[in-house]
Amino acid sequence: MEDFETQMNKWLGKIGGLANLTIEEREEANTAAAEVLKKSIVKATPRDDKRKLGDIKHLADSVVIGNLEGTKSNGDIAVGYATKSSDNVNHARIARFQNDGTAKMPNPKGLHFYDRALADSKEDVFKARNDKLAEIQERKFKE
């Protein structure tokens, strides 16, 4: 039988492993949340079905998930419109004008679809992240 100190050190090592996530585990949890947010943004993005499809993708089809360009991987995952895409269009810039509005738009206050998508999906995003974190912790606990 192990002494009390050895048992406590093993227990603390196991609990510390559950609480301290690696960068890969943080990315895994944040990616699960990002997927939920992406679906919400795509659904909220206004779509004009009368628009003639040419070489430029639709704004709703340019939502991307990943690390921000020029940053170190620290477990964070960004969700938004593509700034560089195969059709050489800065979709994020276009989305900002549509969302926030401009002085020349009939409604200068903007559509605020992106802002509403963030607010409306907040609970679902947290739930997806928490579910993935619980799965990661359960997996680590079994190790």
Side-chain angles (χ1 to χ4, degrees):
M1 174 108 185
E2 297 175 333
D3 65 341
F4 181 71
E5 182 179 0
T6 306
Q7 290 176 351
M8 288 304 290
N9 285 335
K10 283 184 178 180
W11 179 78
L12 283 173
K14 189 175 245 185
I15 296 302
L18 291 174
N20 299 322
L21 298 175
T22 64
I23 290 175
E24 292 80 17
E25 291 165 340
R26 287 181 61 203
E27 281 183 353
E28 186 179 344
N30 287 333
T31 300
E35 290 290 342
V36 172
L37 182 57
K38 178 182 177 180
K39 288 177 187 173
S40 178
I41 292 170
V42 168
K43 184 178 175 185
T45 302
R47 185 180 285 273
D48 182 8
D49 292 327
K50 296 176 188 173
R51 176 180 171 264
K52 187 179 100 178
L53 293 175
D55 295 336
I56 299 174
K57 289 194 295 190
H58 193 281
L59 194 59
D61 300 329
S62 67
V63 180
V64 293
I65 296 173
N67 294 323
L68 293 175
E69 188 176 314
T71 61
K72 283 186 174 180
S73 180
N74 63 356
D76 293 340
I77 301 293
V79 181
Y81 297 96
T83 56
K84 295 179 182 174
S85 61
S86 60
D87 52 12
N88 294 323
V89 176
N90 186 342
H91 292 280
R93 181 175 174 267
I94 296 167
R96 186 180 63 98
F97 288 139
Q98 291 291 320
N99 186 65
D100 299 344
T102 65
K104 294 186 179 193
M105 288 177 78
N107 181 6
K109 292 182 170 80
L111 301 174
H112 301 291
F113 57 89
Y114 185 82
D115 302 329
R116 278 194 295 273
L118 292 178
D120 292 347
S121 64
K122 193 175 217 177
E123 289 179 23
D124 294 334
V125 168
F126 284 137
K127 183 179 179 338
R129 180 181 292 128
N130 288 339
D131 290 348
K132 185 53 85 169
L133 285 172
E135 179 185 313
I136 291 169
Q137 288 179 333
E138 188 174 318
R139 186 173 64 219
K140 288 178 82 168
F141 188 73
K142 289 179 182 178
E143 292 176 354

